[in-house]
Amino acid sequence: MSTKEALAKNDASTRSAQSWKKSEKHGAGEWLAERFTSLALIPLTLWAAWGAWQIAGGGFDAALAFVRNPFNMAAIAVSIVLAVWHMYMGVKVIIDDYLQGPMRGVCIFLTFLLSVAVLFGSLGALYLVYQGA
Amino acid sequence: MSNTTPPRPLSPHLQIWRWHVTMLSSILHRVTGSASVAGIVLIAAWLICLALGRETYTVFLQYAASPLGLLVWFGLSLAGFVHLTGGLRHLIWDLGLSFKPKDADTLATWTMLLGVALTIAFWAVLFTSGKVAL
């Protein structure tokens, strides 16, 4: 193999999408999920800030009308799923960095419980609003 | 368990590092990310109160629209915006850009400032449009 070919083989831009996914266990998948959720959350967070401005000062009726809008409801649901997923991965990284032994497992489990609670609480609430609560 | 497998290595704690701008931005990214956990819990609480109806939502607003509530929202929006621009910095680094120490410092400084600027702009619009008042 020439030097040129060897260089080309190591150049990230020439690697196939398949080879990007390879890692010993599941690290590459987590890496991609972190990037995917953060990329998607940039426009979603800015949209949420716009939404907060929309309903600010409008009381119950403004908030209900905003959430009942089908596009807004879908965007809220997607934002929450991605944000909870992103939160779980982020908190887990911090736990992995600073905790060892049983405390690590307990804290990751608690983070998982919190993630599930936030997910079910908010998606359940969205469903109730959708049903016409 | 720890008899069979050696414990994982831990990250160095804060007191080990010399303070510099990329280290500050890295710590802030974790702090703002952790604070955003409270943000998503409060957003879930907002949705639940909304779903429970007008009376519950009015109670929620009594807290959320109070000066203390606004201070909490301000802090959470600051955390959110700084974490967002910090994430932008990480995505730029992921592209293999701005790794020279000077460039990395500049990028870290500007993304932190952009996060603060977005927060100030957000609240300036909220107050000047009369939607939020103390």
Side-chain angles (χ1 to χ4, degrees), chain A residues 67-98:
Chain A
V67 176
R68 270 204 181 137
N69 174 294
F71 173 82
N72 292 343
M73 187 174 275
I76 292 171
V78 170
S79 304
I80 285 172
V81 169
L82 292 179
V84 168
W85 187 8
H86 189 87
M87 170 190 92
Y88 176 76
M89 290 189 292
V91 174
K92 188 173 169 290
V93 166
I94 297 177
I95 292 171
D96 277 337
D97 270 358
Y98 294 113

Coordinates of all heavy atoms in Angstrom, one line a residue, chain A residues 67-98:
Chain A
V67 N -50.6 24.2 23.4 CA -50.3 22.8 23.4 C -51.2 22.0 22.6 O -50.9 21.0 22.0 CB -50.3 22.3 24.9 CG1 -50.0 20.8 25.0 CG2 -49.2 23.0 25.7
R68 N -52.5 22.5 22.4 CA -53.5 21.7 21.6 C -53.2 21.8 20.1 O -53.6 20.9 19.4 CB -54.9 22.3 21.9 CG -55.5 21.6 23.0 CD -57.0 21.7 22.9 NE -57.7 21.1 24.0 CZ -58.7 21.6 24.7 NH1 -59.2 22.7 24.4 NH2 -59.2 20.9 25.7
N69 N -52.4 22.8 19.7 CA -52.1 22.9 18.3 C -51.3 21.6 17.9 O -50.3 21.3 18.6 CB -51.2 24.2 18.1 CG -50.7 24.3 16.7 OD1 -49.8 23.4 16.3 ND2 -51.1 25.2 15.9
P70 N -51.7 20.9 16.9 CA -51.1 19.6 16.5 C -49.6 19.7 16.3 O -48.8 18.8 16.8 CB -51.8 19.2 15.3 CG -53.1 19.9 15.3 CD -52.8 21.2 16.0
F71 N -49.2 20.7 15.6 CA -47.7 20.8 15.3 C -47.0 21.0 16.6 O -45.9 20.4 16.9 CB -47.4 22.0 14.4 CG -46.0 22.3 14.2 CD1 -45.2 21.5 13.3 CD2 -45.3 23.3 14.9 CE1 -43.8 21.7 13.1 CE2 -44.0 23.5 14.8 CZ -43.2 22.7 13.9
N72 N -47.5 22.0 17.5 CA -46.8 22.2 18.7 C -46.7 21.0 19.6 O -45.7 20.7 20.2 CB -47.5 23.4 19.5 CG -47.4 24.7 18.8 OD1 -46.5 24.8 17.9 ND2 -48.2 25.6 19.1
M73 N -47.9 20.2 19.6 CA -47.9 19.1 20.5 C -46.9 18.0 20.0 O -46.2 17.4 20.8 CB -49.3 18.4 20.5 CG -49.5 17.3 21.4 SD -51.2 16.7 21.5 CE -51.9 17.8 22.7
A74 N -46.8 17.8 18.7 CA -45.8 16.9 18.2 C -44.4 17.4 18.5 O -43.5 16.6 18.9 CB -46.0 16.8 16.7
A75 N -44.1 18.7 18.3 CA -42.8 19.2 18.6 C -42.4 19.1 20.1 O -41.3 18.8 20.4 CB -42.7 20.7 18.2
I76 N -43.4 19.3 21.0 CA -43.2 19.2 22.4 C -42.8 17.7 22.7 O -41.9 17.4 23.4 CB -44.4 19.6 23.2 CG1 -44.6 21.1 23.1 CG2 -44.2 19.2 24.7 CD1 -45.9 21.6 23.7
A77 N -43.6 16.8 22.1 CA -43.4 15.3 22.4 C -42.0 14.9 21.9 O -41.2 14.3 22.7 CB -44.4 14.5 21.7
V78 N -41.6 15.3 20.7 CA -40.3 15.0 20.2 C -39.2 15.6 21.0 O -38.2 15.0 21.4 CB -40.2 15.4 18.7 CG1 -38.7 15.3 18.2 CG2 -41.1 14.6 17.8
S79 N -39.4 16.9 21.4 CA -38.4 17.6 22.2 C -38.2 16.9 23.5 O -37.0 16.7 24.0 CB -38.8 19.0 22.5 OG -39.1 19.7 21.3
I80 N -39.3 16.4 24.2 CA -39.1 15.8 25.5 C -38.5 14.4 25.4 O -37.6 14.1 26.2 CB -40.5 15.7 26.2 CG1 -40.9 17.1 26.7 CG2 -40.5 14.7 27.3 CD1 -42.3 17.2 27.2
V81 N -38.8 13.6 24.4 CA -38.2 12.3 24.2 C -36.7 12.5 24.0 O -35.8 11.9 24.6 CB -38.8 11.6 23.0 CG1 -38.0 10.3 22.6 CG2 -40.2 11.2 23.3
L82 N -36.3 13.4 23.1 CA -34.9 13.7 22.8 C -34.1 14.3 24.0 O -33.0 13.9 24.3 CB -34.7 14.6 21.6 CG -35.1 14.0 20.2 CD1 -34.9 14.9 19.1 CD2 -34.4 12.7 19.9
A83 N -34.8 15.2 24.7 CA -34.2 15.8 25.8 C -33.9 14.8 27.0 O -32.9 14.8 27.6 CB -35.0 17.0 26.3
V84 N -34.9 14.0 27.2 CA -34.8 13.0 28.3 C -33.7 12.0 27.9 O -32.8 11.6 28.8 CB -36.1 12.2 28.5 CG1 -35.9 11.0 29.4 CG2 -37.1 13.2 29.2
W85 N -33.6 11.6 26.7 CA -32.6 10.7 26.2 C -31.2 11.3 26.4 O -30.3 10.7 26.9 CB -32.8 10.4 24.7 CG -32.0 9.3 24.1 CD1 -31.0 8.5 24.7 CD2 -31.9 9.0 22.7 NE1 -30.4 7.7 23.8 CE2 -30.9 8.0 22.6 CE3 -32.6 9.4 21.5 CZ2 -30.6 7.4 21.3 CZ3 -32.3 8.8 20.3 CH2 -31.3 7.8 20.2
H86 N -31.1 12.6 25.9 CA -29.9 13.4 26.1 C -29.5 13.5 27.5 O -28.3 13.3 27.9 CB -30.1 14.7 25.4 CG -28.9 15.5 25.3 ND1 -28.0 15.4 24.2 CD2 -28.3 16.5 26.1 CE1 -27.0 16.3 24.3 NE2 -27.2 17.0 25.4
M87 N -30.5 13.8 28.4 CA -30.2 14.0 29.8 C -29.7 12.7 30.4 O -28.7 12.7 31.2 CB -31.6 14.4 30.5 CG -31.5 14.3 32.0 SD -33.1 14.5 32.8 CE -33.6 12.8 33.0
Y88 N -30.3 11.5 30.1 CA -29.9 10.3 30.7 C -28.4 10.0 30.3 O -27.6 9.6 31.1 CB -30.8 9.1 30.2 CG -30.3 7.8 30.6 CD1 -30.5 7.4 32.0 CD2 -29.6 6.9 29.8 CE1 -30.1 6.2 32.4 CE2 -29.2 5.7 30.2 CZ -29.4 5.3 31.6 OH -28.9 4.1 32.0
M89 N -28.1 10.2 29.0 CA -26.7 9.9 28.6 C -25.7 10.9 29.3 O -24.6 10.5 29.7 CB -26.6 10.1 27.1 CG -27.3 9.0 26.3 SD -26.9 9.0 24.5 CE -27.8 10.5 24.0
G90 N -26.1 12.2 29.4 CA -25.2 13.2 30.0 C -25.0 12.9 31.4 O -23.8 13.0 31.9
V91 N -26.0 12.6 32.2 CA -25.9 12.4 33.6 C -25.1 11.1 33.9 O -24.2 11.1 34.8 CB -27.3 12.3 34.3 CG1 -27.1 11.9 35.8 CG2 -28.0 13.7 34.2
K92 N -25.3 10.1 33.0 CA -24.6 8.9 33.1 C -23.0 9.1 32.9 O -22.2 8.5 33.7 CB -25.1 7.8 32.1 CG -24.5 6.4 32.3 CD -25.2 5.5 31.4 CE -24.4 4.1 31.4 NZ -23.1 4.2 30.7
V93 N -22.7 10.0 32.0 CA -21.3 10.3 31.8 C -20.7 10.9 33.1 O -19.6 10.5 33.5 CB -21.1 11.2 30.6 CG1 -19.7 11.8 30.6 CG2 -21.4 10.5 29.3
I94 N -21.4 11.8 33.7 CA -20.9 12.4 34.9 C -20.8 11.4 36.0 O -19.8 11.4 36.7 CB -21.8 13.6 35.3 CG1 -21.8 14.7 34.3 CG2 -21.4 14.2 36.7 CD1 -22.7 15.8 34.6
I95 N -21.8 10.5 36.2 CA -21.7 9.5 37.2 C -20.5 8.6 36.9 O -19.7 8.3 37.9 CB -23.0 8.6 37.2 CG1 -24.2 9.5 37.7 CG2 -22.9 7.4 38.1 CD1 -25.5 8.9 37.5
D96 N -20.3 8.2 35.7 CA -19.2 7.3 35.3 C -17.8 7.9 35.7 O -16.9 7.3 36.0 CB -19.2 7.0 33.8 CG -20.1 5.8 33.5 OD1 -20.4 5.0 34.4 OD2 -20.6 5.7 32.4
D97 N -17.8 9.3 35.6 CA -16.5 10.0 35.9 C -16.2 10.1 37.4 O -15.1 10.1 37.7 CB -16.6 11.4 35.3 CG -16.1 11.5 33.9 OD1 -15.7 10.4 33.4 OD2 -16.1 12.5 33.2
Y98 N -17.3 10.1 38.2 CA -17.0 10.5 39.6 C -17.4 9.4 40.6 O -17.1 9.6 41.8 CB -17.6 11.8 39.9 CG -17.0 13.0 39.2 CD1 -17.7 13.7 38.2 CD2 -15.6 13.3 39.5 CE1 -17.0 14.7 37.6 CE2 -15.0 14.3 38.8 CZ -15.7 15.0 37.8 OH -15.1 16.0 37.1

